[in-house]
Amino acid sequence: MTTMHKPPAEETERATSGPAHARPRDPRVRMALIMAPLYLITSALLAWWASDSITDHKWFLEILAGVALLLFVIQVVRGYAAWRRSRH
């Protein structure tokens, strides 16, 4: 009588953890991957605009660039925390 070999649970988990599962499943990680570069680009463009500006309201553009940079840092930290939480 022949029986089918059933691999242990550890082997099936290792077999499924390939490139097909490399994309993040957590929506918070996806949001961080989308929003963090946008905040960084926005901060850079506002800072560049402030450096070229000769008006009296240059400080407002600098503050907006700083806020966008702060949002970038917050998004990176939140994305990293969500990524670590989703891996465990």
Side-chain angles (χ1 to χ4, degrees), residues 10-69:
E10 299 95 27
E11 289 181 20
T12 56
E13 288 177 11
R14 273 188 253 133
T16 59
S17 63
H21 295 283
R23 291 182 18 200
R25 294 178 178 258
D26 191 3
R28 292 173 292 190
V29 177
R30 287 184 186 174
M31 185 61 72
L33 287 174
I34 293 169
M35 294 305 293
L38 290 177
Y39 286 138
L40 186 62
I41 291 168
T42 302
S43 175
L45 288 175
L46 285 169
W48 183 33
W49 188 14
S51 70
D52 283 347
S53 179
I54 55 172
T55 64
D56 294 335
H57 302 292
K58 181 178 180 177
W59 58 272
F60 185 69
L61 293 172
E62 292 170 349
I63 290 174
L64 284 178
V67 167
L69 187 61

